[in-house]
Amino acid sequence: MSHILKNLDWSLIQSFISVAETGSLTQGAKQLGKSQPTIGRNISNIEAMLDTQLFNRERHGLSLTDKGEELLKIAHEMQSSAAKLVLNVAGGSNEMSGTVRITASQVISNFTLPAILAKINTAHPNIEIELHASDDSENLLFHEADIAVRMYRPDQLDIITRHICDIEIGFFASKTYLERVGTPQTIDEMKELDWIGYDRSELMLKGMRQFGWQVDRSFFKTRCDDQAVYWHMVKAGCGIGVGQVNIGLSDNTIVQLFPDAPIPSIPVWLTAPKALRNSARIRYVYDLLASEIKISTQKKR
């Protein structure tokens, strides 16, 4: 099957991968930015050319047949090879111009990167920056981003990674909230106040259990998974929240509670595909981010 697949139009293979991964013509079309009828025709064409059925048409979507599973492995290998080719071509540029796409968490994107990106704009106005603020993990190999700021050590192959710094985490509340309920004198008193947590994410619950608090989702009176919105809830006085110490100390409307509490810090890693480190603009932005993020995430007050 692999020798036949190599002779197929790449757009057909892309359509097949997208539908296989999403389980739906509609979602596959959305992922590729094409119409559903176009994706449907592509799937029909690739099945006709291979003279085999690749999908089971089920009530709630599409599932791969055994032949479809076999084909998907080969298609992913082709996709990976194509991505490496693009990266190697992109990595050969020595010009300080062009686009650099960065992905970072919602908090880093909202509170740390804007000032750094302004410095890049001033120093090199021909470099165009695209910032994708997301707490999801983009695939650098497939060029979904040139540089990623991660809060964990990536294990993806064919990338370089650098540990930049560790960000201290603390308990915070707005002055208006503490004026209303009183400032807790002990951690046990603080635990009895209103708390802001995440909604579907279990990240905060896991952190609190590591801290020794066996709590569940109902512990949080207000919940939101968007961490930038979460911080605005802390500022608005919805209750006690957890956040980066450098951000909390830079805001005089916020009070840090029990700064000596043994809360684990969060590591910050900077990553990029190996090939793109040969690009002057990628290398410049990568190195600047490494130094500036370290400076920006230190304590402020």
Side-chain angles (χ1 to χ4, degrees):
M1 181 182 288
S2 60
H3 71 281
I4 301 176
L5 183 58
K6 290 177 182 177
N7 294 323
L8 291 177
D9 188 320
W10 177 241
S11 65
L12 300 184
I13 300 172
Q14 285 182 307
S15 297
F16 168 71
I17 293 173
S18 184
V19 173
E21 291 178 340
T22 62
S24 155
L25 292 176
T26 300
Q27 292 304 314
K30 183 178 179 181
Q31 186 180 81
L32 294 176
K34 298 182 179 179
S35 69
Q36 181 178 340
T38 297
I39 298 300
R41 284 194 298 271
N42 286 349
I43 296 301
S44 296
N45 288 340
I46 196 171
E47 287 183 325
M49 291 176 181
L50 295 174
D51 192 24
T52 188
Q53 183 178 341
L54 300 175
F55 292 97
N56 296 311
R57 275 68 174 175
E58 299 175 345
R59 186 174 182 180
H60 299 293
L62 302 176
S63 65
L64 288 168
T65 62
D66 290 342
K67 282 293 185 181
E69 293 281 3
E70 179 184 343
L71 177 62
L72 184 59
K73 293 178 182 179
I74 301 170
H76 274 150
E77 291 173 1
M78 295 179 66
Q79 184 185 45
S80 179
S81 297
K84 289 179 181 178
L85 177 63
V86 171
L87 288 175
N88 278 307
V89 171
S93 173
N94 289 317
E95 296 183 5
M96 294 297 285
S97 63
T99 301
V100 178
R101 183 170 176 81
I102 302 168
T103 181
S105 71
Q106 292 282 355
V107 172
I108 293 292
S109 295
N110 275 271
F111 298 100
T112 301
L113 290 186
I116 299 174
L117 301 187
K119 290 184 178 182
I120 296 173
N121 290 341
T122 300
H124 293 282
N126 290 328
I127 294 180
E128 301 173 14
I129 299 293
E130 295 177 353
L131 175 59
H132 180 53
S134 172
D135 292 318
D136 296 330
S137 297
E138 280 69 35
N139 192 321
L140 296 180
L141 181 58
F142 294 144
H143 216 175
E144 294 171 8
D146 299 317
I147 300 173
V149 184
R150 305 288 201 214
M151 315 311 282
Y152 57 89
R153 182 170 190 168
D155 57 6
Q156 186 179 343
L157 299 177
D158 295 323
I159 64 171
I160 58 169
T161 184
R162 185 193 304 182
H163 176 237
I164 301 174
C165 60
D166 294 301
I167 299 178
E168 292 187 35
I169 302 298
F171 298 121
F172 291 93
S174 70
K175 291 180 178 178
T176 55
Y177 176 74
L178 295 177
E179 288 170 359
R180 177 159 56 87
V181 302
T183 300
Q185 300 303 306
T186 67
I187 289 182
D188 285 340
E189 287 183 9
M190 179 178 66
K191 188 177 178 181
E192 298 302 316
L193 299 178
D194 299 324
W195 279 79
I196 310 167
Y198 299 152
D199 184 19
R200 293 180 175 84
S201 170
E202 294 188 350
L203 183 63
M204 195 166 176
L205 286 175
K206 292 177 180 178
M208 287 192 154
R209 288 165 186 164
Q210 290 178 348
F211 192 67
W213 293 5
Q214 299 304 314
V215 299
D216 58 25
R217 184 172 177 272
S218 63
F219 174 77
F220 304 111
K221 187 172 183 179
T222 312
R223 297 181 288 269
C224 179
D225 282 335
D226 186 311
Q227 295 185 31
V229 175
Y230 175 98
W231 185 248
H232 288 299
M233 289 178 173
V234 175
K235 288 171 57 68
C238 292
I240 309 293
V242 177
Q244 296 181 17
V245 170
N246 63 293
I247 296 174
L249 294 185
S250 67
D251 190 328
N252 60 15
T253 69
I254 300 292
V255 175
Q256 184 178 8
L257 301 170
F258 306 103
D260 295 327
I263 304 175
S265 58
I266 298 177
V268 181
W269 296 82
L270 199 63
T271 65
K274 290 180 180 178
L276 285 181
R277 284 287 273 149
N278 297 323
S279 163
R281 68 178 186 278
I282 302 292
R283 184 169 60 251
Y284 167 76
V285 173
Y286 185 95
D287 291 338
L288 184 67
L289 287 175
S291 60
E292 291 292 330
I293 289 175
K294 183 175 182 179
I295 294 171
S296 300
T297 53
Q298 301 307 303
K299 291 182 179 180
K300 302 297 183 184
R301 197 179 296 172

